[in-house]
Amino acid sequence: MKYLTQFLRITGFTLVGELLQRLIPLPIPASVYGLVLLFAALCFGVIKLEQVKDAGGFLISILPILFVSPAVGILENWGMIRSAVIPMFLLALLSTITTFAIAGRITQSLRK
């Protein structure tokens, strides 16, 4: 029962994120809204970490399984995307490096 209650709390924040995404005309994914709301609720003590910790740990542990379906979709459509693999790889590499650099700079400025 503990896992169900914790999972429902996380799902509640996800649903509120979905509502915000539909109400606010910004190109921000609903999951980001939900994660920010959950983070804020944890920071301000609205909910305690113990109220979502076990279900969150379970969701993180099964995360690799959630990527199986997109990988199969890529393999099924390989003929269509084969010509764009190198540009997609370069874009993914560039965006990863940029994300690391920005996150590092923000972390450095916050630590000062």
Side-chain angles (χ1 to χ4, degrees):
M1 192 67 169
K2 174 176 76 169
Y3 284 104
L4 181 61
T5 305
Q6 291 183 10
F7 185 72
L8 287 174
R9 281 190 185 106
I10 294 170
T11 304
F13 281 96
T14 304
L15 290 174
V16 173
E18 289 286 338
L19 291 172
L20 285 176
Q21 195 265 335
R22 295 181 196 286
L23 293 174
I24 301 173
L26 294 174
I28 298 173
S31 58
V32 173
Y33 283 122
L35 285 173
V36 168
L37 289 172
L38 180 58
F39 179 71
L42 286 166
C43 286
F44 292 117
V46 175
I47 62 170
K48 304 288 184 241
L49 181 59
E50 293 78 28
Q51 294 175 317
V52 294
K53 185 176 183 175
D54 295 326
F58 170 73
L59 290 171
I60 290 172
S61 71
I62 66 164
L63 196 58
I65 296 170
L66 301 176
F67 289 103
V68 170
S69 179
V72 170
I74 288 172
L75 292 176
E76 285 181 355
N77 297 304
W78 180 250
M80 293 186 330
I81 64 170
R82 183 182 354 205
S83 63
V85 168
I86 292 175
M88 287 190 305
F89 174 77
L90 292 175
L91 283 172
L93 182 65
L94 179 65
S95 66
T96 301
I97 292 169
T98 304
T99 301
F100 285 169
I102 292 172
R105 289 291 185 184
I106 290 172
T107 303
Q108 287 175 345
S109 67
L110 289 174
R111 290 195 55 128
K112 287 183 181 178

